[in-house]
Amino acid sequence: MSTHYDTQNIFAKILRGEIPAIKVYEDDRTLAFMDIMPQAKGHTLVIPKAEAVTLLDLSADDAAYTIQIVQKVAKAIEKALDTSGIVLMQLSGESAGQTVPHIHFHLIPSSIHELRKHAAEMGNQEEIKATAEKIKLVLEQL
Ligand code: AMP
């Protein structure tokens, strides 16, 4: 059984354009944008546009497509920020610590041993925007 989807969740609002986001990639099925409380510089989120709370609620087709975009954005992050190593994180369900009930993949260019605390502290939004511009530039060439 799928989890009830709350259409008022913050990522649904971002998808509808009701609140702003620092976007780096968008197509008809997915959106990638910067995390406002980054656990490392370059922390990016990739979400399918389909209404799904956890990985278990997502169709196999959307899961397959979204992971391709995750891979594309990961490549762009590494190139744009000249880093290697990305922590790919996906929290499915409140019990796992999920705070926003619309499925998302975290791409965090860092080491698991060096991550800042999860969803804890606002980042410097100007710095995040500048990082996003670098990632966008590479994505436009991929
Ligand atoms: P999770 O706990 O896996 O559901 O992660 C939710 C993530 O969304 C956290 O890393 C938050 O920092 C991030 N977040 C919350 N609100 C926003 C927002 N308005 N724009 C971008 N990221 C957000």
Side-chain angles (χ1 to χ4, degrees), residues 10-11 14 19-21 33-39 43 45 89-91 97-102 104 106 118-120:
I10 202 139
F11 293 172
I14 286 176
I19 62 163
F33 55 100
M34 305 309 288
D35 197 297
I36 50 168
M37 290 175 267
Q39 289 181 252
H43 185 164
L45 302 170
M89 184 168 77
Q90 202 293 299
L91 306 181
Q98 181 177 5
T99 55
V100 179
H102 180 113
H104 46 281
H106 296 259
H118 182 65

Side-chain angles (χ1 to χ4, degrees), residues 26 40 46 59 62 68 81 90 101 108 137 142:
E26 183 162 20
V46 176
S59 71
D62 271 315
Q68 290 177 55
L81 305 183
Q90 202 293 299
I108 317 174
L137 212 65
L142 286 182

